[in-house]
């Protein structure tokens, strides 16, 4: 099928190509990631080392990598590093906050980046939010604030619907 005609796309010099990866009945494109340095499509599970349980951690501190957590962490890091806003949605209790915090700790807590977390509740007010944000940054001049020590900062707001 001609993609341009079927979807009415105006793409100049576009040629549809087949993926150099056999997608079986048990696999779909969401289970794959392109590795440009290797020129390959890989399963998300192939992008991380085999998981070894850290026996020093308590059970509730363990985060076992799955296709979903690996993919979400990759997308969170990619979107955030490119300075785009991200809204993570889903049903209650599915690990959204845990996944975001894990990605932030892993990729944005070092000498160039930092992050802060705001947990909203029914008692959260605009003034309280402003106070928390202003307390975590340096005031450069009137109305201009920046993260401390010249870092870039990611602000994670948990339970935005509150």
């Amino acid at each position: 099928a001609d993609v341009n005609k079927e979807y009415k796309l105006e793409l100049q010099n576009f040629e549809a190509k087949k993926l150099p990866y056999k997608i079986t009945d048990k696999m779909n494109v969401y289970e794959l990631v392109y590795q440009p340095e290797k020129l390959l499509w890989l399963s998300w599970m192939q992008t991380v080392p085999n998981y070894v349980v850290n026996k020093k951690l308590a059970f509730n501190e363990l985060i076992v990598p799955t296709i979903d957590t690996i993919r979400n962490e990759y997308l969170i890091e990619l979107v955030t590093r490119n300075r785009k806003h991200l809204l993570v949605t889903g049903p209650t209790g599915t690990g959204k906050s845990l996944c975001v915090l894990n990605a932030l700790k892993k990729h944005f807590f070092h000498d160039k980046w930092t992050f802060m977390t705001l947990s909203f509740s029914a008692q959260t007010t605009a003034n309280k939010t402003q106070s928390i944000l202003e307390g975590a940054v340096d005031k450069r001049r009137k109305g201009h604030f920046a993260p401390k020590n010249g870092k870039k900062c990611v602000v994670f707001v948990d339970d935005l619907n509150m």
Side-chain angles (χ1 to χ4, degrees), residues 94-114:
T94 55
K96 297 176 300 294
S97 298
L98 180 71
C99 190
V100 170
L101 286 170
N102 189 46
L104 291 176
K105 287 176 188 170
K106 194 172 187 180
H107 299 286
F108 297 99
F109 192 64
H110 51 74
D111 58 337
K112 294 182 182 178
W113 287 85
T114 187

Side-chain angles (χ1 to χ4, degrees), residues 119-136:
S119 294
F120 281 15
S121 71
Q123 287 76 36
T124 304
T125 63
N127 288 338
K128 188 185 281 187
T129 302
Q130 181 177 349
S131 175
I132 292 168
L133 286 170
E134 287 178 354

Side-chain angles (χ1 to χ4, degrees), residues 61-122:
E61 296 174 328
L62 294 175
I63 301 173
V64 179
T66 65
I67 288 176
D68 293 325
T69 60
I70 295 166
R71 180 179 46 227
N72 291 343
E73 182 179 306
Y74 173 85
L75 292 171
I76 290 166
E77 192 271 335
L78 179 69
V79 170
T80 306
R81 191 160 308 279
N82 286 290
R83 297 179 177 199
K84 302 297 180 195
H85 302 281
L86 182 65
L87 179 66
V88 181
T89 64
T92 303
T94 55
K96 297 176 300 294
S97 298
L98 180 71
C99 190
V100 170
L101 286 170
N102 189 46
L104 291 176
K105 287 176 188 170
K106 194 172 187 180
H107 299 286
F108 297 99
F109 192 64
H110 51 74
D111 58 337
K112 294 182 182 178
W113 287 85
T114 187
F115 71 91
M116 63 181 300
T117 303
L118 293 173
S119 294
F120 281 15
S121 71

Side-chain angles (χ1 to χ4, degrees), residues 2-159:
D2 186 0
V3 174
N4 290 327
K5 289 179 184 173
E6 188 173 336
Y7 295 102
K8 297 181 178 134
L9 298 174
E10 297 293 328
L11 301 173
Q12 301 296 326
N13 302 321
F14 177 78
E15 182 181 333
K17 296 181 181 179
K18 290 186 177 183
L19 295 175
Y21 194 94
K22 181 107 172 135
I23 299 177
T24 65
D25 293 338
K26 297 177 184 174
M27 184 177 290
N28 62 49
V29 74
Y30 300 109
E31 295 175 5
L32 302 173
V33 61
Y34 186 68
Q35 297 282 311
E37 63 278 353
K38 297 178 184 177
L39 301 174
L40 289 177
W41 286 89
L42 298 173
S43 162
W44 285 104
M45 295 304 288
Q46 292 175 302
T47 64
V48 295
N50 287 339
Y51 180 71
V52 178
V53 176
N54 183 346
K55 298 192 188 303
K56 294 178 184 176
L57 293 177
F59 177 76
N60 63 339
E61 296 174 328
L62 294 175
I63 301 173
V64 179
T66 65
I67 288 176
D68 293 325
T69 60
I70 295 166
R71 180 179 46 227
N72 291 343
E73 182 179 306
Y74 173 85
L75 292 171
I76 290 166
E77 192 271 335
L78 179 69
V79 170
T80 306
R81 191 160 308 279
N82 286 290
R83 297 179 177 199
K84 302 297 180 195
H85 302 281
L86 182 65
L87 179 66
V88 181
T89 64
T92 303
T94 55
K96 297 176 300 294
S97 298
L98 180 71
C99 190
V100 170
L101 286 170
N102 189 46
L104 291 176
K105 287 176 188 170
K106 194 172 187 180
H107 299 286
F108 297 99
F109 192 64
H110 51 74
D111 58 337
K112 294 182 182 178
W113 287 85
T114 187
F115 71 91
M116 63 181 300
T117 303
L118 293 173
S119 294
F120 281 15
S121 71
Q123 287 76 36
T124 304
T125 63
N127 288 338
K128 188 185 281 187
T129 302
Q130 181 177 349
S131 175
I132 292 168
L133 286 170
E134 287 178 354
V137 295
D138 289 334
K139 187 172 184 175
R140 300 292 165 94
R141 58 184 187 269
K142 186 177 180 181
H144 291 270
F145 298 88
K148 296 179 180 182
N149 303 322
K151 294 183 177 186
K152 295 174 186 166
C153 183
V154 177
V155 178
F156 170 51
V157 179
D158 198 7
D159 282 335

